[in-house]
Amino acid sequence: MTATDARTGDGSEREPGDAHTVGIVGAGITGLALTHYLAERGVDSVAFEAGDEPGGVIQSRTVDGHVLEVGPQRMRKTPGIGAIAEAVGVTDDIVEAREEDLYVYANGALGQAPLSVEAFLETDLLSWRGKARMLAEPLTRQGMDVETAEGLFVRKFGREAYERFIGPLYGGIYGSDPARMPAAYALEGLLDREAEAGSLLAAFRQRVGSGHESPPISFREGNQQLPEAIYEAHADRIELETPVTDIRSLGPGGEGPYLLETPDGIHRVEQVVVTTPAGVASDLLAGLADGADGLADLLYNPLALVFLDAEHGRTGKGYQVGYDEDLHTLGVSWNAQMFGRDGVQTVFLGGMHEPELVEASDDRLARIAREEYKEVMGVDASVIDVARLDVGFPAWDQSWWQLEAVELPPGITLATNYTARMGIPSRVREAKSIAERLADGASGDAAEAVPATADD
Ligand SMILES: Cc1cc2nc3c(=O)[nH]c(=O)nc-3n(C[C@H](O)[C@H](O)[C@H](O)COP(=O)(O)OP(=O)(O)OC[C@H]3O[C@@H](n4cnc5c(N)ncnc54)[C@H](O)[C@@H]3O)c2cc1C
């Protein structure tokens, strides 16, 4: 790091800090991948992370010999994920999911989600009338921004298909209710694909098809092994336990260069990339970006995770629960079946459906998870652990209209899972494209918040 005579810009007496081309706020997967791609391109950068571990919401822990995921349960091995894993030396630790099947619990029974033509024809989640209604989708009008995700799905596929599998599967990605998710944000990517593919059904099939080319994976020690390996490869550019407490502009109208204030000093950077959750971004960008206060209103769905130990004879990734079912469970991930994780089943509770449940005692959460698991799967389970995420999934609900008012100054980029896609491969892909832009010396043209749907 190079010491400079950078002034603090506010006349204060603080020590001048280090100078860097790019300052990154946060070392979740986005900040880490950005660090990696900037280093690959020879661009000087520093990342500040408030926590004492790299990875952000990607958190793996081992309890009584079980690998548990207190965040994402898996990621898709897209070419981008494969390449970054190889670059940081963890390819040999990749564990591929054995089966892709996904189930929905609706009308009191588990049914396989019809994600292929064969499964669609065979599924008993839908009546023949429901199947025929779904197949008539190409005759419906194209999806519109002003609709909710629920309104759009029901109009295009019929209520039966929506309630029995589309709603639970789609809402399950965010722990949200599609009735509260504007299509403009929650389905933007799919609507674009609909226009190209000719129908939403065709767009779905394209997405599922491309998913099969990128199997779900984890790593031997859990998903966090990937961010940890990226951190190890670039530890000289990443400061853990160093929250950014303020961002100040030295240029006119909020332009760069910028000063990043941290407890251990002030650091001058030419460009800032903010990757933090929305509430933190709102505080840091107040006074720098129009509409930044609205970021604080973006809703996150809090989650409780109960880790069970159980054996069952099915194969697949797990199941989502239909809204009308009389269960608290949102969905269950079969980590044991996917990755050979020694009995581990992850039960998700809370979300937009029942946010207050996350406050319940561990005992109550454990009891609910165990009893409902037995009801659905027909087998007993013991409880390994309970965890809570107060800031869980971005909800992609009506509060996302706040993004319309956000205008960032040149030199500041928001690279987040609430302004672009949420899946880990998408976070890595966005980091790469930002690194390319910054390496090209362009400044600010991607400074606009780009809302988009979340997927892998
Ligand atoms: C429960 C859950 C399940 C998911 N499941 C999947 C899945 O199965 N597959 C998939 O692909 N994706 C999944 N996702 C989505 C994906 O995991 C996330 O979108 C992605 O990991 C977010 O990474 P990020 O770096 O953008 O943000 P974060 O991980 O939120 O990183 C932001 C970082 O900023 C740090 N920070 C905060 N304040 C400051 C500050 N003032 N100064 C410095 N640092 C600060 C935080 O500590 C954090 O490390 C899931 C997400 C959640 C929450």
Side-chain angles (χ1 to χ4, degrees):
M1 294 187 185
T2 335
T4 75
D5 60 356
R7 298 178 63 87
T8 57
D10 63 356
S12 71
E13 294 297 309
R14 292 196 59 168
E15 283 290 302
D18 307 317
H20 297 275
T21 308
V22 182
I24 301 165
V25 190
I29 192 66
T30 307
L32 292 163
L34 180 57
T35 298
H36 173 77
Y37 292 122
L38 288 171
E40 253 186 9
R41 285 161 182 72
V43 179
D44 163 56
S45 71
V46 62
F48 298 106
E49 165 56 47
D52 59 1
E53 289 177 27
V57 299
I58 306 177
Q59 293 177 52
S60 313
R61 57 165 90 141
T62 302
V63 177
D64 298 337
H66 297 283
V67 175
L68 309 179
E69 302 291 355
V70 190
Q73 306 296 303
R74 56 185 179 255
M75 67 190 86
R76 288 213 176 258
K77 190 181 169 214
T78 56
I81 291 291
I84 200 165
E86 187 170 357
V88 298
V90 285
T91 304
D92 290 347
D93 289 321
I94 288 177
V95 191
E96 231 177 77
R98 296 164 182 176
E99 301 284 343
E100 278 271 22
D101 296 345
L102 191 56
Y103 289 80
V104 176
Y105 184 76
N107 287 338
L110 266 190
Q112 195 176 331
L115 299 177
S116 67
V117 175
E118 300 76 41
F120 178 76
L121 293 173
E122 283 172 19
T123 187
D124 42 19
L125 273 177
L126 292 179
S127 66
W128 279 107
R129 183 189 291 250
K131 289 179 187 176
R133 172 69 180 81
M134 239 191 115
L135 291 175
E137 185 267 328
L139 304 176
T140 61
R141 241 178 326 117
Q142 213 182 312
M144 295 172 290
D145 282 356
V146 291
E147 296 177 272
T148 62
E150 179 195 40
L152 183 145
F153 286 138
V154 169
R155 181 171 67 73
K156 291 181 89 58
F157 299 118
R159 183 151 290 282
E160 183 182 312
Y162 171 74
E163 284 177 355
R164 300 220 185 143
F165 86 100
I166 297 175
L169 287 186
Y170 196 78
I173 298 173
Y174 313 86
S176 275
D177 178 354
R180 288 170 54 184
M181 301 171 77
Y185 289 103
L187 289 172
E188 195 204 27
L190 214 53
L191 294 185
D192 289 347
R193 281 191 219 190
E194 178 189 14
E196 284 165 31
S199 76
L200 207 58
L201 215 46
F204 260 134
R205 288 191 57 198
Q206 280 176 7
R207 180 180 286 188
V208 170
S210 66
H212 283 141
E213 287 155 24
S214 307
I217 58 161
S218 181
F219 291 83
R220 208 187 309 272
E221 292 162 24
N223 292 328
Q224 201 178 349
Q225 204 179 337
L226 178 64
E228 271 168 356
I230 304 174
Y231 168 73
E232 292 299 333
H234 302 287
D236 55 333
R237 290 169 169 248
I238 303 164
E239 308 288 336
L240 298 179
E241 296 184 85
T242 312
V244 173
T245 51
D246 195 18
I247 305 176
R248 273 175 280 151
S249 146
L250 295 179
E255 293 184 19
Y258 298 94
L259 297 174
L260 301 185
E261 188 163 328
T262 69
D264 68 4
I266 292 180
H267 310 264
R268 180 186 160 121
V269 297
E270 301 303 316
Q271 296 272 337
V272 182
V273 182
V274 176
T275 74
T276 62
V280 179
S282 173
D283 286 347
L284 291 176
L285 298 176
L288 285 175
D290 286 345
D293 52 337
L295 292 174
D297 295 335
L298 298 191
L299 180 74
Y300 282 82
N301 290 323
L303 293 168
L305 287 76
V306 180
F307 301 97
L308 299 179
D309 184 351
E311 298 299 336
H312 61 80
R314 293 186 188 259
T315 57
K317 296 191 287 193
Y319 60 90
Q320 296 292 144
V321 176
Y323 306 117
D324 295 338
E325 301 308 310
D326 196 16
L327 296 183
H328 299 282
T329 304
L330 300 171
V332 177
S333 175
W334 294 340
N335 304 52
Q337 284 64 31
M338 277 191 292
F339 303 123
R341 289 264 156 85
D342 197 19
V344 174
Q345 314 282 293
T346 311
V347 180
F348 286 80
L349 300 168
M352 187 180 278
H353 194 52
E354 225 177 348
E356 65 288 348
L357 185 61
V358 176
E359 307 295 325
S361 68
D362 282 11
D363 283 351
R364 174 149 187 255
L365 293 171
R367 185 171 43 76
I368 290 172
R370 212 161 18 90
E371 286 175 4
E372 294 190 354
Y373 184 85
K374 169 110 197 221
E375 190 176 335
V376 175
M377 298 297 296
V379 296
D380 287 317
S382 58
V383 175
I384 305 167
D385 206 359
V386 177
R388 291 173 185 74
L389 293 174
D390 294 333
V391 178
F393 295 118
W396 290 87
D397 72 342
Q398 299 95 329
S399 61
W400 258 245
W401 291 115
Q402 298 282 352
L403 293 183
E404 297 294 312
V406 178
E407 269 188 49
L408 301 175
I412 296 190
T413 303
L414 262 181
T416 72
N417 64 4
Y418 47 90
T419 49
R421 293 182 185 186
M422 190 173 90
I424 296 166
S426 298
R427 305 306 321 126
V428 169
R429 203 175 306 127
E430 188 185 16
K432 189 172 186 186
S433 82
I434 291 171
E436 282 163 0
R437 170 171 64 82
L438 296 177
D440 283 348
S443 66
D445 14 328
E448 179 195 345
V450 186
T453 186
D455 73 359
D456 287 335

